[in-house]
Amino acid sequence: MLRLRDVKAYYETPRGVVKAVDGVTLDVRENEILGIAGESGCGKSTLLRAMYDSLEPPLKIVAGKVEAEMKNDRGETVTLAPGEIRKHWWRFISYIPQGSMSALNPVVRIEKQFFDAISSKHHLNNKREIHKRIASYLRELELPVEVLNSYPHQLSGGMRQRVLVALGTFLHPQIVLADEPTTALDVVIQKGILLMLAQVQEQMKNSLVIVSHDICVHYQITHRIAVMYNGKIVEIGPTETVFNKPLHPYTQMLIQSIPHVGDQKHREGISGRPPSLIDPPPGCRFAARCPFVMDICREEMPSLLEVEPDHFVACYLQREPLQARKGVG
Amino acid sequence: MSDLLLEIKDVTKVFRIGGLLFGTELLAVDHVNLSLDKHKPSILSIVGESGSGKTTLAKIILKLHEPTSGDVLLEGKSVFGPHPDLDTLAYYRAVQPIFQNPFESFSMRKYVDSYLYDTALNLKIAKDRKEARDIIADALSSVGLDINALAGKYPNQFSGGELQRISVARGLIPRPKLIVADEPVSMIDASLRMNVVNMFLSLKEKYNVSFIYITHDLSTAYYVSDYVAIMYRGNVIEYGSSDRILTNPMHPYTELLLDSVPTGGKKWERHLKLPDIELKEYHNTGCKFANRCPFVQAVCRLNKPPPVQIPGEREVLCFKPVDYELGRTTPSQEPEKVTI
């Protein structure tokens, strides 16, 4: 389990401080698939790096805290802080990156990369035993065992990404983070990989966090979804609820802008663009593009409020129930 | 002379991979025939996964690649024939590109509007910068932008959606008859995507511009296009009315594609086995989809599937609608019979 409390993760650049994650409070629960949705530059990948404790300059957590609750070998629950989380990479928490070509070492066979990644993290010391375990795990995931003898360039993009999923889940970590695991892949392969991730989560009953800009991907496989906009979470709740009854105007407009095969309804995008992360406005970050903007929206950022069980939204409209029901369209 | 704006006639493109002696050949585009009507502007989507040959085909239409065999005709005039009727300048006045990544189409060190001036002057649409300015202002206003808002600005001062809008305005400068857009929205955020796509629709209506929209995204293809061509390993496997094909696919591959698009509607079945796709598919003697097809029969592996015509609706490259019979190229007149 992961707990984030008012986390601010900033990049210090010569042009100014980029407030990529600006006050995020979030729990990653046990046995769930949590989706993080948002457009490019909204801070969703940075949030994942904060969770993974992968904080290299210029990225820094300047405020708030990230805590991880890990069950250790004796079954006790231990609380880890940033700096300690990274000592338990692969076993407790693992990360599936998006560019499968740059994530794997191009001149090392896949099997060696499995050995290198997990060598210090398991109790097996017999090489043959490890090989057997890896091979049987690949078979479980319906991957051909021959990939172990291949170099990354000999595999297709989809196969490489599946190898990364296998590598990231081999030691049964309690938390798996996947950053856009299917970008640049074809739709058929994308579906296969997403279903593979969902299937692995179902078997291990651990927590899976998926970052994707495609809100329909979240609808298909996540249990809960957090919608980010300009460094902040604007809405979070059970995926089904958020999809069928979005409460934040941004979520509403985003869902309505997506065309579907067989539906000829006219669709509009959202005009304008998100504000700069270096110098964000004082009020709600979406105010400049919001059709329902009020004076207060420009003055103070609304906080996340629970409007119905487990469904949180950061919007002043939701504090005046009459206006809220109108929604968009 | 011709009733067709653009005719792609039996175009084939072969790439050689590797050395002269031991290299292999890759059939990127395999005898493709497509056409666009001259009198009624339309949007044709070319849909396919990576490696399907859609970008190679686009590059041939944009005269960036020369086909190994076959020809492209613009209003009946040959582009690649032994005696081409059109020179490059005349061709680019009629056919203009929009590329995938707006952040790469513009140099970060040059003012955005310098590209618009270059186009106007290089294509000899305008004699001098003064005349060019009027033409550019006109092109920009047709995509809802003001020339003064661009002056002295660099690309990083615009969003992806705005830059793609400027790319379209640049393409509109010669008042072309056809715009070829290669994945124009794949690098743009979801919230801005529809603005670009809607612009295509309004330009088609207002300025009679036809579009070839190359994409892997079936949802926007359905939204925007009149016709659709589905490509697989170099072949156009289903081609015709976009509404008919995408709501009632006949080729098993089209069906697989439609089934894989994540939607906000029906949830996926939880199990799917991915094939181990190989390069070999390019060299299959029969149907290239045979190894993955759930309806495959012996005839599919050995023989090239026939182009089956469903009058007024589509063409399908598949044995299934003709009951796996060799030599029958027109099916019985019951297109509805094929429900998968």
Side-chain angles (χ1 to χ4, degrees), chain A residues 26-244:
Chain A
L26 178 73
D27 280 348
V28 179
R29 301 173 186 164
E30 271 169 50
N31 193 12
E32 77 161 353
I33 304 181
L34 171 68
I36 298 174
E39 302 175 78
S40 54
C42 73
K44 53 191 193 305
S45 293
T46 309
L47 181 63
L48 216 58
R49 284 184 65 189
M51 288 180 181
Y52 193 51
D53 191 16
S54 168
L55 302 161
E56 279 109 40
L59 177 63
K60 245 169 85 179
I61 292 187
V62 297
K65 60 178 180 184
V66 181
E67 274 180 354
E69 266 180 18
M70 182 184 83
K71 279 201 186 72
N72 68 9
D73 297 337
R74 291 185 295 273
E76 302 158 348
T77 307
V78 199
T79 305
L80 304 174
E84 291 170 15
I85 296 177
R86 61 162 60 216
K87 290 180 194 152
H88 301 274
W89 280 358
W90 300 105
R91 279 216 72 185
F92 166 66
I93 186 166
S94 72
Y95 178 79
I96 300 166
Q98 52 175 314
S100 60
M101 196 66 213
S102 45
L104 292 165
N105 187 339
V107 293
V108 176
R109 290 184 201 270
I110 302 291
E111 175 152 31
K112 177 88 169 51
Q113 305 204 33
F114 262 88
F115 284 156
D116 290 349
I118 62 180
S119 57
S120 58
K121 313 282 180 181
H122 58 75
H123 309 299
L124 307 165
N125 33 26
N126 181 337
K127 220 172 172 182
R128 192 179 291 160
E129 177 65 16
I130 302 171
H131 173 86
K132 249 169 71 188
R133 287 275 289 276
I134 295 171
S136 82
Y137 186 63
L138 289 182
R139 264 192 295 270
E140 216 178 288
L141 297 176
E142 299 181 7
L143 293 178
V145 179
E146 297 84 75
V147 298
L148 287 177
N149 265 322
S150 315
Y151 290 99
H153 71 90
Q154 293 172 311
L155 306 174
S156 68
M159 185 59 80
R160 277 200 299 270
Q161 197 64 38
R162 280 183 277 168
V163 166
L164 284 179
V165 173
L167 187 58
T169 55
F170 177 64
L171 292 176
H172 291 54
Q174 288 159 40
I175 297 166
V176 178
L177 310 171
D179 188 3
E180 301 265 12
T182 57
T183 32
L185 295 175
D186 297 321
V187 283
V188 181
I189 313 285
Q190 162 171 294
K191 182 179 175 183
I193 288 172
L194 291 172
L195 289 179
M196 176 177 169
L197 279 165
Q199 190 190 327
V200 169
Q201 189 276 332
E202 210 169 284
Q203 278 164 10
M204 297 186 184
K205 307 231 178 303
N206 56 2
S207 315
L208 171 64
V209 183
I210 287 194
V211 163
S212 173
H213 64 278
D214 187 342
I215 201 152
C216 291
V217 162
H218 293 294
Y219 175 76
Q220 288 291 344
I221 70 163
T222 62
H223 303 137
R224 273 199 316 147
I225 181 173
V227 181
M228 279 190 83
Y229 185 78
N230 209 241
K232 289 193 176 278
I233 289 179
V234 294
E235 185 161 4
I236 179 166
T239 306
E240 204 85 17
T241 317
V242 172
F243 224 83
N244 294 323

Side-chain angles (χ1 to χ4, degrees), chain B residues 283-304:
Chain B
H283 303 294
N284 277 8
T285 49
C287 175
K288 288 168 186 160
F289 189 59
N291 292 343
R292 297 169 66 186
C293 183
F295 306 101
V296 66
Q297 300 211 355
V299 63
C300 306
R301 297 191 195 275
L302 296 171
N303 302 282
K304 274 202 161 50

Side-chain angles (χ1 to χ4, degrees), chain A residues 39-40 186 219-220 257 267 270, chain B residues 189 191 194 198 223 265 268:
Chain A
E39 302 175 78
S40 54
D186 297 321
Y219 175 76
Q220 288 291 344
S257 74
R267 309 255 169 197
I270 310 175
Chain B
D189 281 329
S191 70
M194 289 320 285
N198 283 332
Y223 181 84
W268 287 334

Side-chain angles (χ1 to χ4, degrees), chain A residues 33 39-40 142 144 156 159 162 184 186-195 198-199 202 213-214 216-217 219-222 239-240 243 250 254 257-273 289, chain B residues 48-51 156-159 162 187 189-195 198 201 216-220 222-223 243 246-247 253 256-277 292:
Chain A
I33 304 181
E39 302 175 78
S40 54
E142 299 181 7
S156 68
M159 185 59 80
R162 280 183 277 168
D186 297 321
V187 283
V188 181
I189 313 285
Q190 162 171 294
K191 182 179 175 183
I193 288 172
L194 291 172
L195 289 179
Q199 190 190 327
E202 210 169 284
H213 64 278
D214 187 342
C216 291
V217 162
Y219 175 76
Q220 288 291 344
I221 70 163
T222 62
T239 306
E240 204 85 17
F243 224 83
Y250 175 64
L254 197 63
S257 74
I258 302 161
H260 299 291
V261 172
D263 173 11
Q264 276 160 340
K265 200 177 133 207
H266 179 77
R267 309 255 169 197
E268 286 289 339
I270 310 175
S271 54
R273 59 192 289 198
R289 299 169 84 185
Chain B
E49 305 190 319
S50 50
N156 61 7
Q157 290 168 283
F158 297 92
S159 73
E162 286 168 319
M187 301 298 288
D189 281 329
S191 70
L192 300 169
R193 230 170 246 187
M194 289 320 285
N195 299 339
N198 283 332
L201 286 170
H216 62 270
D217 177 10
L218 287 160
S219 327
T220 54
Y222 178 84
Y223 181 84
D243 185 43
L246 296 180
T247 54
Y253 176 66
L256 173 71
L257 267 188
L258 277 164
D259 196 44
S260 307
V261 178
T263 66
K266 197 171 150 274
K267 295 243 176 151
W268 287 334
E269 302 270 325
R270 282 289 157 166
H271 196 82
L272 175 88
K273 182 162 168 36
L274 280 177
D276 309 325
I277 308 161
R292 297 169 66 186

Side-chain angles (χ1 to χ4, degrees), chain A residues 295-326:
Chain A
D295 288 341
I296 186 168
C297 304
R298 299 188 202 277
E299 288 155 19
E300 204 183 325
M301 178 71 206
S303 55
L304 269 177
L305 259 172
E306 188 168 18
V307 282
E308 57 183 326
D310 210 23
H311 188 179
F312 296 79
V313 62
C315 180
Y316 287 115
L317 285 174
Q318 296 310 323
R319 306 192 181 170
E320 290 165 80
L322 268 178
Q323 265 181 300
R325 287 202 193 100
K326 282 186 205 157

